[in-house]
Amino acid sequence: EVQLEESGGGEVQPGESLRLSCATSGFTFDRADMTWLRQAPGKELEWVSTIIADGDLTYYADSAKGRFTISRDNAKNTLFLQMNSLKTEDTAVYYCAWGSIGGSLKQRGQGTQVTVSS
């Protein structure tokens, strides 16, 4: 059974940081491209970032460039998203997903809430 479990969300003030984690199991993580998505209240699901299987290449939405860093620990089957300089518009439920939007997104987790508010 494929499982993806996000953690690390919370409520922070603008300018602060959060590090999201996604623990995975049930598939060959070190052969899988992985993606972070988010969905803000009342908005559609939005792509945030993708990292390829070996971690050598990363891709970011314009909204995440320069502030977010995606990474992975293939030994621990875990995906990360370091988010710095958070803005109120980053408020959303963040999901990790197996796959990439360029290929296919096979499954995503239940999400973790990130709230940025003063």
Side-chain angles (χ1 to χ4, degrees):
E1 179 186 6
V2 173
Q3 293 189 335
L4 303 100
E5 184 173 359
E6 302 91 340
S7 62
E11 184 168 355
V12 297
Q13 295 186 341
E16 294 185 339
S17 300
L18 280 174
R19 189 190 195 207
L20 306 184
S21 299
C22 175
T24 75
S25 62
F27 63 101
T28 308
F29 183 78
D30 62 5
R31 294 186 181 181
D33 296 344
M34 296 295 296
T35 292
W36 285 99
L37 307 164
R38 69 184 183 185
Q39 188 164 26
K43 296 190 176 181
E44 294 185 351
L45 195 63
E46 175 188 16
W47 170 69
V48 176
S49 183
T50 294
I51 185 168
I52 67 168
D54 63 8
D56 281 354
L57 289 175
T58 57
Y59 304 90
Y60 297 93
D62 287 345
S63 59
K65 282 179 184 175
R67 300 187 300 124
F68 294 2
T69 302
I70 190 171
S71 62
R72 62 193 298 158
D73 184 339
N74 283 352
K76 296 183 177 179
N77 295 339
T78 302
L79 178 71
F80 303 101
L81 185 68
Q82 177 68 42
M83 304 187 296
N84 298 330
S85 302
L86 283 161
K87 305 175 181 180
T88 55
E89 52 263 44
D90 294 318
T91 295
V93 177
Y94 284 71
Y95 302 92
C96 70
W98 172 18
S100 67
I101 57 172
S104 66
L105 292 174
K106 298 174 179 60
Q107 189 162 329
R108 69 181 187 193
Q110 293 299 307
T112 186
Q113 176 70 48
V114 171
T115 302
V116 185
S117 174
S118 56

